[in-house]
Amino acid sequence: MAVAEKRILLKYADEPGYTPDIECYKKHGGYQMLEKTLKMKPEDISAEIMTSGVRGRGGAGFPMGMKMKFLDRKSGKPIYLVCNADESEPGTFKDRQIMYKDPHQLIEGMMITAYAINAKLAFIYIRGEMQEGARILENAIKEAREGGYLGDKILDSDYSCDMVVHRGAGAYICGEETGLLESLEGKRPNPRIKPPFFPAVLGLYQCPTLVNNVETLCNVKHIVEMGGEEYAKIGRPNNTGTRIWSVSGHVNKPGYFEFECGALTYGELIYDVCGGIPNGRKLKAVIPGGSSAKVLRADERFKGKLKDGTEFDWSIEDIPLDFDGPMAAGSMSGSGAVIVMDDTTDMVEAMANINAFYAHESCGQCTPCREGALWLKKVTTRMVNGGAREEDADLLKSIADQIEGRTICAFGEAAAWPVQSFVAKFKDEFIEKARAQANGAGKNGKMGAFTLA
Amino acid sequence: MSEDKKDQLITINVDGKDYEVPPGMNLIQAVEKYAQKEIPHYCYHEKLSVAGNCRMCLVEMGTPMRDRATGEPILDDNGVQKIGWMPKPAIACNSNTSPGLHIKTDSPLVKDCRNGIMEFLLVNHPLDCPICDQAGECRLQEFATEYGRGYSRFIEDKNVKPKRTRLGPRVTLDDERCILCSRCIRFSQEIAKDDVLGFVDRGSYSTLSCYPGKELANNYSLNTVDICPVGALTDTDFRFKMRVWFLKQAKSICTESSVGVNTVVWAREGKIYRITPRQNDGVNDTWMSDSGRRLYNLVESEMRLLAAKFKKDVVTTEKAIEKAVDILKGAKFGIVGNTQSSVEEMAGIQSLAKSHGAPVMFVGHIQEGDDLLISKDATPNTRGALLTGLTKALPYRQRDVVGRNLKKGEMKTLVVFNEDLIEAGVDKSLLEQVDIIYVGSQQNATSEMAKVVIPSQVVFEKAGSFVNQNFRLQKFEACIPAPQGVKSDAAIITSLRAGLGDEDASSSLAKIWESLSSDVKEFEDLSYSRIPDEGVQLDGSRFDQLNYIETGSLHYEAQPELAETA
């Protein structure tokens, strides 16, 4: 029996006849919360957000209220709001649902947030590949400006704030918030060194800046609507609200689903919601939160203690679908991208695919990530092309260990974690690859997955 | 570093030992200076902004723990404040000293970090040290020896990048060797203020490049070669010419302008191969101009004077000096000095002038300054001429002193030190009325007119000192031997004086400084050997009323009230 979706952000998005224009949005109660907000004190909105406990939906899961609190308001510099719409984590396709189908929800969420932090200018940094999304947002902003929902003297109040859509140029690293800010400033998106360049203090144009994900900012509208306390009742403590999960890979019904945090488990998501694994094959592994999250093995047991002290002993199917569940299992919920792999998956090939991505996307600023990511790719590419050696598994792990924790930004971890976990959990396959090739299989560089399928 | 004030020092702990250091000092520098430990680094440069990209300086860092709520120190069982170590290693270049800071520079984790970074830097680096100009002064070589693993685990193909990109007229780039530290980019932006360099492409394929339509052509472009920690940026002129370990280094001073840039001259077997800046935080920091680096061309220039002449006939230097003495004995003579001369040579000229009542005249040399390391005064020792009393006025503020003096018709002979009076605009007919004794290293229209020509040494062949625009006395060493028969100005002056019967004539630097220290107030208690490498700051207030032409440079501010009229 599948757990029902709880659609808050995606409430209307897929409703037949729902269009991204402002008339449709207003018919569905749009911009009423902005109107309500403008009569409130900014600090009260911040307080509601803090009370709601809403955590960032971009990957790190950092509480939004805390981010707002860190903003340097004493500097006298302007404060900027930036929406991180550079959705690029492999496996993730949730933010685009909102931006393409319900852009005004994002704009309203952003305007409320902007009012709360007294920002006069807000940016949506949208992934370069989402041309259509940028066009939709541009149009929505135009409509909102005409309707008086942004721009000068919003809804005849004293508050003014404008909004700009900025398209990226096709780089994953622009999703890293300081890289994003560099790009927004017109520079190469090299992430900044922290300290001192924390966005809340020295962000866009060296001014305090709040950077949040699309999904996170949309939540603000609903927090204002139901009140922080009420919002916090959705989900579980420390895992409040709903989340949109993008499920891809070997399931019968891949797609995006919005659930109350912790309302179901990964097992229920895969088997009940997504209809299980095709053709009666077996689950082999799950990447629970985007390609940079550590892979979980189907036959693993996860034991330990949660923060509240309760002990757990989970299989992959028992892990709660929220922030803390995958974290307790040694991985993370990341961007909410669940990648399912069945027993036909060649883990070395999967690894080679992931490594190719990170080698291509490393900005090249700092040594460990720049050189390590490409080396990892070169090793796994060689392995799948018939040149695997038994010692490559250890080499891969060693390279990843030399990257993790030593880079300027979290990209280093993003590139290292998959390798560390793949090798740790499927080392036998890496070694078997070399042995099979030594015995004549896969030497022509065209085999691999086909031999197993 | 300014003077350390004892009472302001704080304690930091490096590898278990406490050190007293100034607060807020860069950690790499503090550890090097006070703990005598090197934290290896590539991208960090003390005169540039922090980039933090090479990750070679990762260390373990911890700070004294305090209770979050109360702010009270958290103590261990022995009553000592606990140290909260950061979970990840941190880069030292981006940290400053703070009270109680603890760092580990040789823990297993730190060693592993360095090992890993070295391996990463080398995987795509061409191991072409045998043909690389940087070999012998390459940080990659040095740290590979110290922190590398000694063998390679990399069996893949290395990246291929452009091998000889012309970045500008003087700089050639080997992109495969580049470790992407961005020092050159930061230098161009921050010091040269000529933002032409950047990276294109991404990841390990990142490539240093000039912006389209731009080139690295500014007069400071070769500093990028100096600060390149590897052999990526090379001096097109020096490229593939010489192994650096064959070169002898001598400390010198650039004569390009009154800034007095400190330099190192690199030579082998009497031939200079390159000139690089020598760090002096009161003068040029770690930089110098490209034009200054090319001054060694004076040594082998086509116009170099190598033979003494009397009435156009080649004679020995001794003979020429003899003839000069004969001429000088006969009649009243004047001297045209030169602010290119060293303090010691000026002292000799001053003695010569005094004992024979000869007037000393100067010609001014001004140029375009760049407000960085080239001043408007094109000579290195104008202040020296003031201090030695050779002139009371600034040469470049006077108009045709030589011509005006000659018109009086009293002088029958003119001793000219390395100066082209024709080029300076002195009426040729006036010069034709006198005998010219020309002492200098370069041939010119004046030397062509001279009755006696005595060749002399260029700055690289002799030792001495200059006083720069800040009244900083700086000495230079002889870098290469002079061509046979070519004497120093000091020796020539001494011979002339001896010939004229002056008993105290000496070209010994020690002797000259004995009288300088007693005759010149500013030189009191100084001797040549007591001038340190970084120079001595003198008191120039005696000449405050002069209207100097310098408009300001890296460590020099123009005189505010006089700058307007300059």
Side-chain angles (χ1 to χ4, degrees):
Chain A
M1 178 59 212
V3 179
E5 279 193 73
K6 185 179 176 72
R7 287 198 166 204
I8 296 177
L9 304 185
L10 296 177
K11 189 170 179 186
Y12 303 117
D14 292 319
E15 217 172 65
Y18 190 79
T19 50
D21 57 87
I22 196 164
E23 285 314 313
C24 179
Y25 184 65
K26 277 163 75 180
K27 246 183 266 166
H28 290 77
Y31 288 114
Q32 287 175 10
M33 284 313 114
L34 178 59
E35 221 173 323
K36 176 181 162 189
T37 302
L38 292 173
K39 292 176 191 131
M40 293 169 71
K41 283 189 200 154
E43 51 270 32
D44 292 343
I45 302 160
S46 301
E48 293 295 334
I49 293 170
M50 187 64 112
T51 312
S52 76
V54 64
R55 289 170 69 173
R57 262 63 170 162
F62 193 81
M64 181 181 177
M66 293 294 282
K67 260 195 191 179
M68 295 172 78
K69 212 175 157 184
F70 290 153
L71 281 174
D72 179 7
R73 290 160 199 273
K74 287 180 199 145
S75 66
K77 296 187 208 167
I79 296 174
Y80 293 107
L81 172 66
V82 175
C83 170
N84 185 344
D86 191 61
E87 185 177 57
S88 342
E89 181 73 18
T92 318
F93 42 89
K94 59 178 183 72
D95 292 340
R96 71 159 67 203
Q97 311 305 334
I98 301 168
M99 292 189 288
Y100 279 61
K101 297 169 184 169
D102 199 2
H104 285 284
Q105 184 183 191
L106 173 61
I107 294 171
E108 187 173 7
M110 283 180 71
M111 292 314 292
I112 296 170
T113 312
Y115 176 73
I117 61 173
N118 194 23
K120 304 289 187 222
L121 190 55
F123 295 87
I124 302 175
Y125 186 98
I126 187 166
R127 179 177 173 178
E129 287 87 340
M130 295 183 185
Q131 298 182 36
E132 179 69 1
R135 199 189 57 74
I136 292 169
L137 283 168
E138 296 268 16
N139 192 50
I141 288 172
K142 189 168 150 261
E143 288 175 335
R145 194 180 286 121
E146 282 162 5
Y149 300 111
L150 62 83
D152 271 349
K153 307 226 176 273
I154 296 167
L155 295 174
D156 297 324
S157 70
D158 287 337
Y159 180 64
S160 303
C161 177
D162 213 331
M163 194 177 286
V164 174
V165 176
H166 183 98
R167 282 184 58 201
Y172 172 77
I173 196 63
C174 291
E176 200 278 347
E177 59 181 3
T178 58
L180 184 154
L181 295 177
E182 285 282 296
S183 175
L184 201 48
E185 289 181 9
K187 300 181 219 154
R188 199 182 153 86
N190 285 354
R192 298 171 176 172
I193 357 180
K194 291 146 277 185
F197 297 105
F198 293 109
V201 184
L202 297 169
L204 186 63
Y205 307 117
Q206 303 299 306
C207 297
T209 305
L210 181 69
V211 186
N212 268 118
N213 172 262
V214 173
E215 192 186 344
T216 321
L217 288 166
C218 287
N219 269 298
V220 172
K221 177 196 161 181
H222 305 284
I223 291 167
V224 171
E225 185 166 3
M226 57 184 93
E229 220 163 287
E230 206 53 37
Y231 180 94
K233 287 178 187 160
I234 307 171
R236 309 195 317 171
N238 201 36
N239 296 264
T240 56
T242 61
R243 279 197 80 171
I244 307 172
W245 302 88
S246 319
V247 187
S248 62
H250 298 145
V251 287
N252 280 312
K253 283 192 290 174
Y256 53 92
F257 309 94
E258 185 175 355
F259 285 107
E260 195 171 343
C261 278
L264 70 171
T265 62
Y266 274 87
E268 286 168 310
L269 179 72
I270 294 165
Y271 292 106
D272 301 340
V273 177
C274 296
I277 316 286
N279 302 328
R281 295 194 295 253
K282 279 196 191 125
L283 181 68
K284 182 175 187 178
V286 175
I287 300 176
S291 65
S292 55
K294 289 188 176 179
V295 69
L296 304 175
R297 207 178 145 115
D299 52 6
E300 249 181 302
R301 296 302 296 182
F302 307 98
K303 294 176 192 173
K305 245 186 205 174
L306 291 175
K307 272 185 194 153
D308 60 11
T310 50
E311 285 189 27
F312 64 87
D313 180 1
W314 293 329
S315 79
I316 197 166
E317 290 163 22
D318 307 325
I319 300 173
L321 197 59
D322 58 15
F323 288 94
D324 292 342
M327 191 71 89
S331 186
M332 63 175 181
S333 62
S335 59
V338 181
I339 302 168
V340 182
M341 291 178 271
D342 70 17
D343 55 6
T344 62
T345 312
D346 181 330
M347 296 313 275
V348 183
E349 296 225 352
M351 180 84 277
N353 189 352
I354 292 174
N355 285 349
F357 175 79
Y358 288 107
H360 184 249
E361 295 299 339
S362 168
C363 78
Q365 184 183 196
C366 68
T367 311
C369 168
R370 175 182 73 230
E371 301 299 339
L374 183 65
W375 191 2
L376 289 171
K377 177 202 165 180
K378 283 180 175 175
V379 171
T380 44
T381 305
R382 170 170 53 73
M383 290 183 79
V384 298
N385 283 339
R389 304 174 305 166
E390 285 188 32
E391 63 264 41
D392 283 336
D394 289 332
L395 177 62
L396 286 168
K397 181 182 181 299
S398 166
I399 298 169
D401 289 348
Q402 286 180 179
I403 303 173
E404 188 198 4
R406 301 174 188 184
T407 52
I408 290 176
C409 76
F411 189 110
E413 282 75 33
W417 284 343
V419 177
Q420 289 170 335
S421 59
F422 269 69
V423 172
K425 294 179 182 181
F426 298 95
K427 191 171 178 182
D428 47 340
E429 274 194 45
F430 283 77
I431 291 172
E432 185 49 42
K433 191 87 176 169
R435 289 194 183 145
Q437 286 173 357
N439 292 334
K443 282 272 181 188
N444 60 7
K446 283 185 181 167
M447 307 200 41
F450 298 107
T451 55
L452 288 161
Chain B
M1 260 315 298
S2 55
E3 282 287 293
D4 307 336
K5 288 181 184 136
K6 250 299 184 242
D7 54 331
Q8 285 177 2
L9 294 184
I10 54 165
T11 305
I12 64 166
N13 186 291
V14 182
D15 299 324
K17 266 184 83 177
D18 283 346
Y19 297 93
E20 303 271 290
V21 301
M25 186 177 181
N26 179 281
L27 199 52
I28 288 184
Q29 285 183 47
V31 170
E32 188 172 317
K33 184 169 177 187
Y34 295 95
Q36 275 86 46
K37 284 193 176 189
E38 182 186 41
I39 298 178
H41 55 270
Y42 292 104
C43 68
Y44 171 74
H45 189 283
E46 61 172 300
K47 302 295 178 193
L48 299 175
S49 64
V50 171
N53 61 35
C54 76
R55 317 305 284 177
M56 191 64 188
C57 67
L58 285 168
V59 293
E60 285 189 73
M61 228 176 264
T63 45
M65 286 170 84
R66 283 179 181 279
D67 190 278
R68 282 221 176 152
T70 62
E72 287 298 306
I74 299 175
L75 307 178
D76 65 10
D77 297 340
N78 301 323
V80 182
Q81 195 168 5
K82 277 191 188 170
I83 299 302
W85 290 95
M86 290 184 201
K88 292 185 196 175
I91 45 173
C93 69
N94 191 35
S95 311
N96 289 330
T97 53
S98 61
L101 181 73
H102 277 56
I103 64 164
K104 292 180 193 166
T105 70
D106 59 0
S107 66
L109 174 62
V110 173
K111 284 180 183 162
D112 187 58
C113 285
R114 291 172 183 172
N115 207 303
I117 300 297
M118 274 318 303
E119 182 171 41
F120 283 144
L121 286 174
L122 291 174
V123 290
N124 281 303
H125 189 84
L127 299 178
D128 60 352
C129 307
I131 58 150
C132 178
D133 283 319
Q134 194 80 3
E137 51 183 17
C138 175
R139 305 296 264 171
L140 213 52
Q141 280 185 328
E142 288 162 20
F143 296 150
T145 318
E146 259 175 277
Y147 311 108
R149 69 173 73 235
Y151 63 94
S152 177
R153 301 190 293 170
F154 185 81
I155 61 162
E156 328 301 331
D157 290 337
K158 285 178 188 260
N159 292 347
V160 176
K161 289 183 187 176
K163 288 297 279 181
R164 51 189 76 77
T165 307
R166 179 187 183 275
L167 286 187
R170 292 172 294 278
V171 181
T172 305
L173 165 70
D174 184 326
D175 252 315
E176 284 184 351
R177 293 178 188 155
C178 176
I179 58 166
L180 304 164
C181 72
S182 79
R183 274 184 176 186
C184 52
I185 298 176
R186 283 174 282 146
F187 172 82
S188 301
Q189 290 171 341
E190 295 162 19
I191 308 292
K193 312 266 191 253
D194 182 29
D195 189 5
V196 294
L197 294 175
F199 291 127
V200 294
D201 218 321
R202 61 190 183 192
S204 189
Y205 300 106
S206 298
T207 305
L208 180 68
S209 174
C210 278
Y211 293 139
K214 296 266 180 87
E215 61 172 11
L216 182 62
N218 68 65
N219 194 28
Y220 290 88
S221 68
L222 287 170
N223 291 288
T224 61
V225 177
D226 297 333
I227 58 176
C228 181
V230 296
L233 291 169
T234 56
D235 180 341
T236 310
D237 178 62
F238 181 70
R239 197 171 149 91
F240 302 138
K241 290 255 172 72
M242 182 50 64
R243 310 284 5 190
V244 292
W245 54 84
F246 288 137
L247 298 173
K248 283 205 174 76
Q249 303 170 43
K251 299 183 186 94
S252 190
I253 300 293
C254 184
T255 57
E256 190 178 21
S257 78
S258 59
V259 171
V261 169
N262 291 211
T263 63
V264 178
V265 178
W266 303 70
R268 185 188 185 193
E269 292 177 355
K271 187 174 159 60
I272 296 174
Y273 283 86
R274 66 172 181 183
I275 300 177
T276 56
R278 176 161 53 94
Q279 181 165 3
N280 187 329
D281 291 347
V283 182
N284 56 305
D285 288 352
T286 51
W287 322 119
M288 78 177 289
S289 67
D290 292 1
S291 42
R293 292 169 201 256
R294 294 294 178 258
L295 289 182
Y296 71 80
N297 290 330
L298 285 176
V299 178
E300 289 182 7
S301 83
E302 283 179 14
M303 303 305 279
R304 183 77 200 263
L305 280 176
L306 292 169
K309 284 179 186 168
F310 176 65
K311 289 183 175 172
K312 306 271 177 198
D313 296 327
V314 173
V315 294
T316 63
T317 304
E318 288 73 19
K319 188 82 184 167
I321 290 172
E322 228 172 77
K323 292 290 179 190
V325 169
D326 287 346
I327 297 168
L328 293 176
K329 269 181 182 163
K332 186 168 165 53
F333 65 93
I335 301 172
V336 178
N338 192 321
T339 43
Q340 293 272 0
S341 300
S342 69
V343 169
E344 296 75 10
E345 289 159 1
M346 287 175 169
I349 293 171
Q350 174 71 337
S351 307
L352 177 66
K354 263 192 178 166
S355 48
H356 303 281
V360 182
M361 298 153 277
F362 280 94
V363 171
H365 293 275
I366 52 173
Q367 61 189 359
E368 275 287 303
D370 64 4
D371 295 341
L372 188 54
L373 289 174
I374 300 176
S375 68
K376 282 191 165 178
D377 183 347
T379 62
N381 205 20
T382 301
R383 307 296 193 282
L386 296 172
L387 286 165
T388 51
L390 217 47
T391 181
K392 289 193 168 57
L394 293 168
Y396 46 75
R397 297 287 181 211
Q398 296 175 295
R399 285 186 63 198
D400 196 19
V401 193
V402 180
R404 278 189 283 133
N405 266 308
L406 285 175
K407 270 182 199 155
K408 289 179 196 161
E410 290 167 6
M411 291 183 290
K412 298 289 174 244
T413 308
L414 211 50
V415 186
V416 181
F417 286 92
N418 224 357
E419 198 69 80
D420 188 354
L421 297 173
I422 302 288
E423 195 193 287
V426 181
D427 192 340
K428 194 172 180 188
S429 59
L430 288 172
L431 289 170
E432 278 163 350
Q433 292 166 18
V434 293
D435 290 333
I436 294 175
I437 297 167
Y438 183 85
V439 181
S441 67
Q442 308 294 321
Q443 191 184 332
N444 55 36
T446 308
S447 72
E448 290 297 292
M449 293 175 66
K451 193 169 192 181
V452 183
V453 174
I454 306 169
S456 70
Q457 297 171 356
V458 298
V459 65
F460 306 109
E461 293 158 351
K462 60 193 181 187
S465 60
F466 296 131
V467 182
N468 84 347
Q469 58 183 358
N470 271 337
F471 279 94
R472 183 188 279 260
L473 174 67
Q474 308 187 104
K475 66 177 175 184
F476 56 90
E477 297 174 348
C479 316
I480 49 169
Q484 203 177 4
V486 177
K487 296 184 179 216
S488 71
D489 288 37
I492 295 163
I493 295 162
T494 306
S495 302
L496 292 176
R497 287 187 63 207
L500 291 170
D502 294 354
E503 280 170 10
D504 60 340
S506 169
S507 62
S508 135
L509 291 172
K511 274 263 158 50
I512 294 172
W513 271 93
E514 264 177 35
S515 45
L516 274 175
S517 65
S518 63
D519 294 352
V520 180
K521 186 178 79 176
E522 286 82 359
F523 291 148
E524 218 174 335
D525 296 331
L526 277 173
S527 68
Y528 189 75
S529 56
R530 241 181 266 157
I531 305 172
D533 285 343
E534 70 274 14
V536 179
Q537 184 60 52
L538 304 175
D539 175 16
S541 57
R542 191 148 64 89
F543 308 98
D544 271 352
Q545 79 288 359
L546 291 176
N547 186 10
Y548 297 115
I549 198 166
E550 287 94 347
T551 46
S553 58
L554 198 56
H555 291 285
Y556 176 81
E557 277 177 38
Q559 286 168 304
E561 72 275 23
L562 293 168
E564 286 296 307
T565 57

